[in-house]
């Protein structure tokens, strides 16, 4: 399968976060949108950055 670029909005938690991680683990290039990255979404952004380092 060719590598695709995928944009997921609402990747803070739930299905959005799960889908973003699953696709990234499968080798796709995933951009995950999260609102309020300095407030409520700060922990999710930190977790996503750690995950990205593992799969880059």
């Amino acid at each position: 399968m060719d590598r695709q670029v995928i944009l997921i909005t609402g990747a803070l938690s739930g299905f959005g976060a799960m889908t973003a991680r699953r696709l990234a683990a499968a080798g796709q290039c995933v951009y995950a949108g999260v609102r309020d990255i300095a407030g409520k979404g700060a922990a999710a952004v930190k977790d996503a950055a750690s995950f990205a380092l593992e799969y880059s």
Side-chain angles (χ1 to χ4, degrees), residues 9-32:
T9 60
L12 175 65
S13 63
F15 286 118
M18 179 179 62
T19 302
R21 289 177 185 220
R22 175 76 178 178
L23 290 168
Q28 304 303 323
C29 177
V30 179
Y31 290 90

